[in-house]
Amino acid sequence: MTDSTLTTTTAPDTAAAPDGPAAAPAADSRLRTYARLGKLDVYDYYLGTFIALSAVLLPAGALTGRTAALFGVFLVGQVFLLMAMTAFDDVTGFRDGSDITNYGPDHPLRNVKRKPLVAGALTVPEALRFAWASAVLAALLFGVTAVLAPHRPAWTAIGLVVLWVVTLQYSYGVKLSYHGFQELYLVALGFALVILPYGMVTGQATGFLLVQAVLFGFGPLMFGVYSNTNDVDGDRAVGRPTVAALVSERGNARFIGALSLAEFLTIAVASLVGVAPWWFVLVMLPASLLRLRQYLLGFRSGDIMRARRTGFAVHRLGVVLMIAANLLAAVTA
């Protein structure tokens, strides 16, 4: 388990740790403790809603009170869903012992308070109650989102159900990430969080928005793979099949380099063939250059954790640039 955000996962429950607290209770308030369990300070996935919103914001009057409410309810619903996911993730990581290892004395730079179960601030039953309550609230809010939708193509309804079900299975239940799907899942999750609200508001999925949804999914993927690189020994020990754990160090560097190149080519090709405006590649160039810096930090300078932090900056900058691109495209249309 890492503290990168939703990129974390754990091995199957092997009873390597008890279901009670592992240390003396922390002094933080219960509200702050549960916020840490839900990783509320890591807001990167929530930003996708604003990309979709920016694509329907202009011309003036395009955004009605009903559609504004849809975006708001969907945003809150995804917050609850992702809090459930991270809480389940922490439960699995505590039970199999991987979080205890990753946040132990050998990793002094890791803040153990980010793992309330390891810190002894919560018990497993408390974490599970929080996770299931969050999941139920997410389901209810997604239902309200569907009711508010001015357009209801079948793929959006199916997408909401699949999003809810699959997200809860990431590192709990069937543990999808333990069958080699972690990297693909991260892109798919980000993709869904952009395209679903847009589809419910407009009834369609334009090529430009599809490209942006893929790029948004690349963001968490590209700080997740650096987290996996840092945690490779622990992941191998618990049988977590990330690419970093399955291949050599050089192979992992090539894989991440290929992902970085694929992200840039997605932008460049979309601009070249007209799926995106011709200038989109220029607008996104600052994020592309920062992505290159991330790679050089990780695999030339050997500073994986600094590269991981740079990944957050790339993602957030990319979101700002895509929002600007949507507004510019609307103005120049």
Side-chain angles (χ1 to χ4, degrees):
M1 295 277 291
T2 69
D3 62 352
S4 60
T5 177
L6 309 176
T7 66
T8 65
T9 180
T10 49
D13 300 347
T14 57
D19 282 5
D28 288 324
S29 69
R30 300 294 283 180
L31 183 61
R32 179 172 292 186
T33 298
Y34 280 113
R36 282 176 168 152
L37 180 67
K39 306 298 182 287
L40 273 179
D41 61 320
V42 184
Y43 53 83
D44 296 86
Y45 263 112
Y46 311 143
L47 299 176
T49 301
F50 298 98
I51 295 176
L53 175 61
S54 69
V56 300
L57 195 58
L58 297 176
L63 186 68
T64 66
R66 178 176 177 176
T67 53
L70 183 152
F71 279 113
V73 173
F74 181 78
L75 177 61
V76 177
Q78 68 170 284
V79 170
F80 278 110
L81 180 62
L82 299 182
M83 285 198 303
M85 175 183 170
T86 56
F88 282 130
D89 195 53
D90 277 13
V91 167
T92 304
F94 179 72
R95 283 176 166 173
D96 69 27
S98 60
D99 275 356
I100 295 173
T101 299
N102 290 336
Y103 286 80
D106 293 336
H107 296 274
L109 297 181
R110 292 290 180 85
N111 182 5
V112 72
K113 285 187 175 182
R114 291 186 57 79
K115 297 292 182 178
L117 292 169
V118 178
L122 291 174
T123 65
V124 167
E126 287 173 330
L128 286 174
R129 284 194 294 270
F130 173 83
W132 282 116
S134 297
V136 170
L137 287 171
L140 293 174
L141 289 168
F142 281 176
V144 174
T145 302
V147 171
L148 288 171
H151 299 277
R152 299 186 180 95
W155 61 267
T156 59
I158 294 170
L160 284 173
V161 174
V162 171
L163 174 64
W164 188 87
V165 172
V166 173
T167 299
L168 300 181
Q169 303 300 315
Y170 178 63
S171 58
Y172 199 75
V174 300
K175 298 185 180 69
L176 293 173
S177 59
Y178 284 89
H179 301 282
F181 297 112
Q182 185 198 108
E183 290 83 6
L184 177 62
Y185 172 85
L186 294 174
V187 177
L189 177 59
F191 179 89
L193 294 176
V194 173
I195 208 65
L196 286 177
Y198 181 82
M200 286 184 284
V201 169
T202 66
Q204 61 179 338
T206 67
F208 190 26
L209 248 291
L210 290 172
V211 169
Q212 292 178 73
V214 170
L215 294 174
F216 181 75
F218 257 89
L221 171 65
M222 294 306 293
F223 48 75
V225 290
Y226 285 86
S227 291
N228 293 343
T229 301
N230 182 73
D231 295 339
V232 63
D233 292 334
D235 289 339
R236 285 172 178 163
V238 298
R240 180 186 178 202
T242 66
V243 171
L246 295 174
V247 303
S248 67
E249 184 175 337
R250 176 175 292 184
N252 182 55
R254 289 175 175 173
F255 170 70
I256 293 176
L259 289 178
S260 302
L261 179 60
E263 181 184 44
F264 174 74
L265 290 177
T266 299
I267 301 169
V269 172
S271 293
L272 181 64
V273 302
V275 174
W278 66 266
W279 42 258
F280 184 58
V281 66
L282 301 178
V283 169
M284 296 299 294
L285 189 59
S288 298
L289 293 175
L290 192 56
R291 181 72 74 203
L292 175 60
R293 174 171 171 75
Q294 180 189 18
Y295 184 81
L296 294 177
L297 280 172
F299 297 102
R300 289 286 180 87
S301 301
D303 194 341
I304 291 297
M305 294 306 287
R306 187 179 173 195
R308 170 185 167 274
R309 290 192 297 271
T310 302
F312 285 92
V314 178
H315 178 65
R316 294 164 188 173
L317 175 61
V319 168
V320 172
L321 295 176
M322 283 186 276
I323 290 173
N326 282 328
L327 297 178
L328 180 59
V331 169
T332 58

